Amino acid sequence: NHIGTVIQMMEDNSFIRYVGFATSTNVSHNSVMKTRYQLDTLLEDDMIIKIPNTRNQYLHPLIYWYDSQHLCNVDRYLNIFRPYRTFPNEFRSYFDVKMIQNMTIRKGDFIEDRFGQMQRRMIVELNSQSISKSLLKSFFRWFGSYMIFSPNEVYEKCLSNEELVSETIESSDLIDYRASVMVGHLKGRQYDPVKILSYMKECD
């Protein structure tokens, strides 16, 4: 319902390059960033962007480009195909040339298998070098990858026909929530379009 708003956010903010949708693979991405990679800095309030005119929907930093459904600015997307040309000069001294070149997308590559892997590796490596928070945040914004995040507890209350949560969850508390799955594979005969449409109407 708010795709147009997100697209406008991308138009208004040049650092937003990619916006993905939560899947069963990345619903716990916040927790993974915090516990596995010690990237709490990227989950601070100034890194989480509230989607206008929504109650509890945000853009959360995503440290990995997934091939699953996403929105992307075409011009900003194309820049990553030759990262050694657009890679910020201020960060070149932290990585060797080969690592930067390894982000290059080759014919037949899946973006997550090459660029996504290198993105996560570089962010984690830079964080391990005891740099300032502002520098790490600036580096992340060059990648500019975000995920639409809606706390799972809110979504489940809607599907169970309980009264919708009326209060807004503070962004600082969001890292303790799992994301609501927004896209996924249909499970054959288990897929009931009538039931799904009924849920959608109730949650509109």
Side-chain angles (χ1 to χ4, degrees):
N1 293 337
H2 301 288
I3 295 300
T5 301
V6 174
I7 291 174
Q8 188 60 53
M9 292 174 69
M10 298 177 75
E11 292 296 318
D12 295 340
N13 298 279
S14 60
F15 62 87
I16 303 177
R17 196 193 298 256
Y18 162 110
V19 175
F21 300 91
T23 69
S24 59
T25 301
N26 59 22
V27 290
S28 298
H29 186 72
N30 285 353
S31 177
V32 171
M33 286 177 63
K34 180 180 179 181
T35 60
R36 184 182 300 176
Y37 299 116
Q38 290 74 55
L39 288 168
D40 306 55
T41 296
L42 298 184
L43 294 172
E44 292 180 352
D45 285 354
D46 62 331
M47 299 298 290
I48 296 174
I49 309 169
K50 180 75 164 60
I51 299 176
N53 304 316
T54 66
R55 182 176 298 142
N56 284 305
Q57 292 191 355
Y58 303 80
L59 297 186
H60 272 215
L62 193 67
I63 61 168
Y64 189 91
W65 281 56
Y66 288 92
D67 279 332
S68 57
Q69 288 90 336
H70 59 269
L71 305 172
C72 199
N73 179 289
V74 175
D75 290 337
R76 298 170 206 165
Y77 201 122
L78 292 175
N79 283 339
I80 70 172
F81 282 80
R82 292 183 176 84
Y84 49 87
R85 293 185 180 179
T86 60
F87 198 77
N89 289 329
E90 63 184 303
F91 297 110
R92 290 180 182 269
S93 62
Y94 293 96
F95 307 99
D96 60 43
V97 174
K98 184 176 181 180
M99 180 176 282
I100 298 172
Q101 291 178 334
N102 280 342
M103 286 192 290
T104 305
I105 308 297
R106 297 172 175 80
K107 186 176 181 179
D109 280 347
F110 286 102
I111 191 169
E112 67 179 38
D113 289 340
R114 182 173 296 278
F115 187 86
Q117 295 277 359
M118 293 306 299
Q119 172 190 6
R120 182 171 59 196
R121 178 181 169 186
M122 295 173 84
I123 290 174
V124 171
E125 182 169 317
L126 189 62
N127 187 49
S128 70
Q129 298 182 36
S130 300
I131 61 169
S132 68
K133 287 185 176 184
S134 60
L135 192 64
L136 181 64
K137 292 175 180 180
S138 178
F139 184 58
F140 168 79
R141 288 191 177 101
W142 179 76
F143 290 100
S145 49
Y146 293 83
M147 176 176 71
I148 296 178
F149 182 94
S150 181
N152 189 53
E153 285 77 358
V154 176
Y155 182 68
E156 286 184 344
K157 285 190 176 183
C158 181
L159 293 189
S160 63
N161 294 318
E162 295 180 22
E163 184 177 353
L164 286 176
V165 175
S166 58
E167 69 274 10
T168 298
I169 299 173
E170 296 298 326
S171 59
S172 58
D173 296 329
L174 289 170
I175 58 175
D176 298 322
Y177 288 84
R178 288 164 57 90
S180 301
V181 174
M182 293 188 173
V183 295
H185 297 289
L186 300 180
K187 298 181 179 179
R189 294 180 180 178
Q190 297 179 32
Y191 171 62
D192 185 343
V194 175
K195 187 175 181 180
I196 295 297
L197 288 173
S198 176
Y199 283 155
M200 290 173 65
K201 289 178 181 179
E202 293 169 5
C203 297
D204 192 358

